[in-house]
Every structure is written in C-alpha cells, then in structure tokens.
Amino acid sequence: MRKGLMILSLGLACGLIAYGATVTVPIVVDDGTDSVAANNFAPATGTATFIAIKNGTGSDQTCTITMSDYAGVDVTPAANTFVATAGQTISIRPVATDVNSEAPGLSGMNATGPPAGSAVSVQIDLPGTATQWSCRVSALNATASFGYTVIPF
C-alpha cells in the first residue's frame, strides 16, 4: 500500500512539473480611468487593479490567460497568449487598457463583454513549475492602495 501511494505521489508530482502552474485571481474589480490621461500610475478616478507575474524559469515562456465574469461566463479576449521573457515581470490590467503600466502588447488584452467596474475572475496558465513564478495583485486609487501575493499551484 505504501509503495502504491509513493508511486502515485511521484506520478502526481511529475505531472505537475510537466504541465506547469496556474495563477488564479478570484476577483478583479476595476472602475478606474486610464492613467494615461493623468500621466500617472494611479487612475484619476476609481480604482485600478493590476496583476504582476514574474518569470523565474530562466527561459522565455508562452502564457495563456482566461477570464470569466461573476456568473462564470467566458469573457476571455481573442488574443489571450503572451510571452514572458526570462526574468521578466509583466503587469496586466485585465479589465481596462492602461499603456502606462501594462507590458507592451498586453494593454489590449482585456476581458470582453463586462463594462469597467465589473467583477472578473482571471486565470493564467504558466509553463514550468509553480516555484519558478511569482504573482502579486495590486489595487490602487488616487488616495490608497493595497496588494496581496497569489501563490501559483
């Protein structure tokens, strides 16, 4: 029995390494204006939410992002893949376009359908192992900010 459990555990561990990791941000609420207008990181009005991921794999990796609204309806944009180069940290604002703070090419990768201010769930599939990636979610407005770390699994 122990031998079987050990083989199963090893198989699961190898499966996780082979298939990569996932970061899930259960809810993103963003009703902030584009910070480009204010030439500032924080939006002039409302709250902006950013997801930052760091590629620690040592090589360029293609990542896939999927999104759903509060009712579970798929709102993934048509262009939903991006490349994170080795050692790069990428910022994504999944509900609004913000060219001042998003990685080049990602400013148009927004949820389709829900208006700004809507609740969106974001999942990012990451190649490699979970320990090779880090993720931070930050929300800020003109007067305050908060952030938390999301652990890839």
Side-chain angles (χ1 to χ4, degrees):
M1 181 70 174
R2 287 185 184 182
K3 192 180 228 182
L5 286 175
M6 203 159 125
I7 291 171
L8 178 63
S9 298
L10 181 60
L12 286 173
C14 290
L16 288 174
I17 290 169
Y19 290 109
T22 300
V23 165
T24 301
V25 180
I27 190 166
V28 172
V29 177
D30 190 323
D31 65 351
T33 56
D34 190 344
S35 65
V36 172
N39 199 18
N40 193 357
F41 183 66
T45 60
T47 300
T49 301
F50 299 90
I51 301 170
I53 60 167
K54 178 163 179 62
N55 176 2
T57 66
S59 61
D60 296 358
Q61 299 292 337
T62 300
C63 304
T64 304
I65 189 167
T66 55
M67 302 179 200
S68 58
D69 69 9
Y70 66 91
V73 176
D74 183 23
V75 293
T76 303
N80 69 330
T81 60
F82 60 92
V83 175
T85 60
Q88 181 182 28
T89 300
I90 292 180
S91 175
I92 303 165
R93 187 172 173 193
V95 179
T97 298
D98 201 327
V99 295
N100 275 357
S101 52
E102 290 183 287
L106 295 182
S107 61
M109 191 177 290
N110 299 327
T112 60
S118 298
V120 174
S121 173
V122 178
Q123 180 173 315
I124 306 172
D125 293 323
L126 309 165
T129 62
T131 58
Q132 295 174 312
W133 294 88
S134 56
C135 178
R136 182 113 177 120
V137 178
S138 301
L140 61 132
N141 60 32
T143 60
S145 66
F146 73 91
Y148 57 94
T149 300
V150 179
I151 299 171
F153 60 92

